[in-house]
């Protein structure tokens, strides 16, 4: 036992010595992960996009239409940046990405409203940018609905209706909306909590594969095994241990930054956050080592890990529910570590449920961390017999 621990320590010291001669480890384990953390959190620090550019075609040019435009401009998400003479000019402005939407108020709108006829007010928005289009759609719909209601209030007052009767007529059902968990609808909370861990897992995949594959590439594999007394389990454990400590420090630092400093919702508590960080690093390293042991070719293993990490962003279920995807994609999502990270995060940390609610996902992450055991014989054979092919 003591001999095995000493061998693990010797391999770990050797691994740190390799880092000192290879700057790519510093960049991929520390510099780029930290840049990714600060890039995503600072890019979304406003929480929601504000002052999205919007245009207006006001052919009516009446007191009513000018009031509608002023009220639209006063909304937080919308800023009126231009007025256009006709539909073609406004459409070209959207195509040139100068505005995301425009409101069209035809001539005679106020006259029809006063006369009891139903005018048509149109708004057009670009859904190429889904967030911008959705926010402007909401503001445009709100303003046009409120303007119609305001005119209706004046007409009902003219015929002698009381405020209570007017309220019951215009809004028979009152909505009381409470967004749970993220009441401010903060996009930083929504996006950063799966984008950053996904990027960190990508670096873990690649560094794990690279560190093992370069032993073969630079013909150091027999030296690596000799340092572990020929035991491939000890050799792999000693190699991954320093990486685990560095990545865990980065991951825990990220969690402290978003949950404590930026005060993201975390009803689950500190211990669950720490446990998820440990599991995330172990599962990512385990998956990377498994891929190389299964396909002991540096270039191919790096490509597979990159592909797996990229697919994880779409298949983790953060932006589109997995159960609504094609059954093949739904099945594929179960073998992506980021999917299980996200499920544990949203259940145990974001919503504060006990860990046993995500027992299936916890088991999957433990399995990912244990996968290298299956391919250890193949990995040892590759290190002893295979030659690196560029």
């Amino acid at each position: 036992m003591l001999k095995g621990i000493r061998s693990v320590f010797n391999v770990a010291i050797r691994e740190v010595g390799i880092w000192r001669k290879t700057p790519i480890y510093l960049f991929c384990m520390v510099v780029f992960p930290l840049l990714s953390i600060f890039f995503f959190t600072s890019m979304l620090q406003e929480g929601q996009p504000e002052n999205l550019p919007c245009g207006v075609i006001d052919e009516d040019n009446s007191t009513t239409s000018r009031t509608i435009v002023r009220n639209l401009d006063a909304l937080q998400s919308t800023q009126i940046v231009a007025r256009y003479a006709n539909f073609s000019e406004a459409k070209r402005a959207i195509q040139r990405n100068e505005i995301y939407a425009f409101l069209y108020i035809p001539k005679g709108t106020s006259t029809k409203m006063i006369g009891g006829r139903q005018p048509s007010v149109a708004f057009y928005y670009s859904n190429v940018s889904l967030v911008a289009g959705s926010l402007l759609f909401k503001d445009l719909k709100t303003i046009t609905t409120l303007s119609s209601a305001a005119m209706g209030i004046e007409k009902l007052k003219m015929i002698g209706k009381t405020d209570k009767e007017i309220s019951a007529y215009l809004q028979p059902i009152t909505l009381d909306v409470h967004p749970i968990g993220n009441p401010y609808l903060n996009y930083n909370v929504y996006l950063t909590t799966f984008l950053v861990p996904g990027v960190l897992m990508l670096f873990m995949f690649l560094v794990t594969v690279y560190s093992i594959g370069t032993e073969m590439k630079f013909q150091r594999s027999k030296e690596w095994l000799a340092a572990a007394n020929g035991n491939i389990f000890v050799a792999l454990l000693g190699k991954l241990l320093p990486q685990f400590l560095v990545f865990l420090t980065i991951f825990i630092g990220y969690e402290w930054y978003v949950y404590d400093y930026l005060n993201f919702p975390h009803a689950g508590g500190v211990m669950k956050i720490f446990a998820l960080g440990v599991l995330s690093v172990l599962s990512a390293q385990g998956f990377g080592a498994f891929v190389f042991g299964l396909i002991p070719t540096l270039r191919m293993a790096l490509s597979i890990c990159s592909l797996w990490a990229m697919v994880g962003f779409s298949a983790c279920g953060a932006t589109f529910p997995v159960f609504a995807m094609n059954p093949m994609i739904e099945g594929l999502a179960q073998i992506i570590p980021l999917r299980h990270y996200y499920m544990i995060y949203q259940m145990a940390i974001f919503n504060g449920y006990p860990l046993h609610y995500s027992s299936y996902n916890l088991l999957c992450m433990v399995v990912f961390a244990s996968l290298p055991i299956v391919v250890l014989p193949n990995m040892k054979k590759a290190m002893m017999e295979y030659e690196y092919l560029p």
Side-chain angles (χ1 to χ4, degrees), residues 261-291:
Y261 185 77
L262 296 181
N263 200 29
F264 282 15
H266 54 287
V270 175
M271 291 308 298
K272 291 178 184 177
I273 292 173
F274 179 78
L276 182 57
V278 173
L279 271 177
S280 300
V281 177
L282 288 175
S283 62
Q285 286 187 303
F287 184 82
F290 170 75
V291 169

Side-chain angles (χ1 to χ4, degrees), residues 106 108-121 148 155:
T109 297
S110 59
T111 303
K112 289 181 180 179
M113 290 176 72
I114 295 171
R117 291 170 290 168
Q118 189 175 25
S120 296
V121 176
S148 174
K155 289 181 64 178

Side-chain angles (χ1 to χ4, degrees), residues 18-182:
I18 294 174
W19 294 358
R20 293 175 60 188
K21 302 174 185 177
T22 315
I24 193 171
Y25 285 103
L26 173 66
F27 283 97
C28 290
M29 294 172 65
V30 179
V31 177
F32 292 149
L34 289 177
L35 287 176
S36 300
I37 292 170
F38 292 117
F39 171 74
F40 284 111
T41 53
S42 60
M43 180 178 68
L44 301 166
Q45 66 181 346
E46 296 298 331
Q48 263 197 14
E50 298 179 0
N51 296 325
L52 296 168
C54 181
V56 171
I57 305 173
D58 185 6
E59 294 180 348
D60 192 50
N61 197 26
S62 62
T63 303
T64 302
S65 65
R66 288 193 293 271
T67 301
I68 293 173
V69 173
R70 281 196 303 271
N71 290 337
L72 178 62
D73 192 38
L75 294 177
Q76 185 176 5
S77 300
T78 305
Q79 181 178 11
I80 304 299
V81 296
R83 297 173 182 267
Y84 302 98
N86 53 57
F87 179 87
S88 298
E89 287 185 12
K91 181 182 176 182
R92 284 195 293 270
I94 284 186
Q95 292 171 338
R96 290 193 299 266
N97 289 323
E98 294 174 359
I99 56 175
Y100 290 112
F102 65 88
L103 175 66
Y104 173 57
I105 305 174
K107 189 174 182 179
T109 297
S110 59
T111 303
K112 289 181 180 179
M113 290 176 72
I114 295 171
R117 291 170 290 168
Q118 189 175 25
S120 296
V121 176
F123 51 84
Y124 300 81
Y125 62 98
S126 170
N127 238 10
V128 174
S129 177
L130 187 61
V131 173
S134 299
L135 289 174
L136 284 174
F137 167 76
K138 182 186 71 173
D139 284 358
L140 288 163
K141 185 176 180 180
T142 299
I143 285 299
T144 51
T145 302
L146 291 177
S147 300
S148 174
M151 186 57 66
I153 290 171
E154 294 302 322
K155 289 181 64 178
L156 289 170
K157 283 182 177 180
M158 290 171 63
I159 60 176
K161 296 293 183 181
T162 65
D163 290 341
K164 188 174 182 180
E165 290 175 321
I166 292 171
S167 298
Y169 178 78
L170 291 177
Q171 193 177 21
I173 298 175
T174 302
L175 298 178
D176 190 9
V177 182
H178 299 276
I180 298 174
N182 187 8

Side-chain angles (χ1 to χ4, degrees), residues 326-348:
N326 183 282
M328 289 184 63
I329 304 300
E330 186 176 357
L332 178 67
Q334 306 310 311
I335 52 176
I336 296 175
L338 185 61
R339 164 63 179 170
H340 301 287
Y341 165 87
Y342 180 71
M343 292 301 294
I344 297 170
Y345 157 74
Q346 70 164 348
M347 283 190 280

